[in-house]
Amino acid sequence: ITRNGQIATATSTAHGLVDGDFVTVTGAAQTEYNVVEKSIIVIDANTFAYVVIGTPSSPATGTFTAEFSYFELG
């Protein structure tokens, strides 16, 4: 995970996400990168981005896990 301004960019091979999906990211030593059900923007098939609060060091360190969350409508 890297950061440019308030945008964190995460690489996850063949993630299968689409714009507006929600992810939970854990395992970053810099806690600002750890988020719960955060809406994402897909950059490409292997990269997505989300907003972070603060100015954590970049790149992030740790062992990361990103989990997809979805909400059933209706």
Side-chain angles (χ1 to χ4, degrees):
I1 303 172
T2 59
R3 180 184 59 81
N4 185 359
Q6 297 306 118
I7 304 299
T9 303
T11 301
S12 177
T13 305
H15 55 65
L17 300 168
V18 297
D19 284 343
D21 279 349
F22 293 88
V23 296
T24 295
V25 177
T26 59
Q30 300 76 16
T31 58
E32 296 90 340
Y33 289 112
N34 298 322
V35 295
V36 176
E37 296 180 352
K38 186 72 124 175
S39 180
I40 59 101
I41 296 171
V42 171
I43 296 170
D44 60 35
N46 300 311
T47 313
F48 64 91
Y50 59 95
V51 175
V52 293
I53 305 299
T55 55
S57 60
S58 180
T61 58
T63 303
F64 314 110
T65 301
E67 296 180 354
F68 169 72
S69 302
Y70 88 96
F71 300 94
E72 188 171 329
L73 302 176

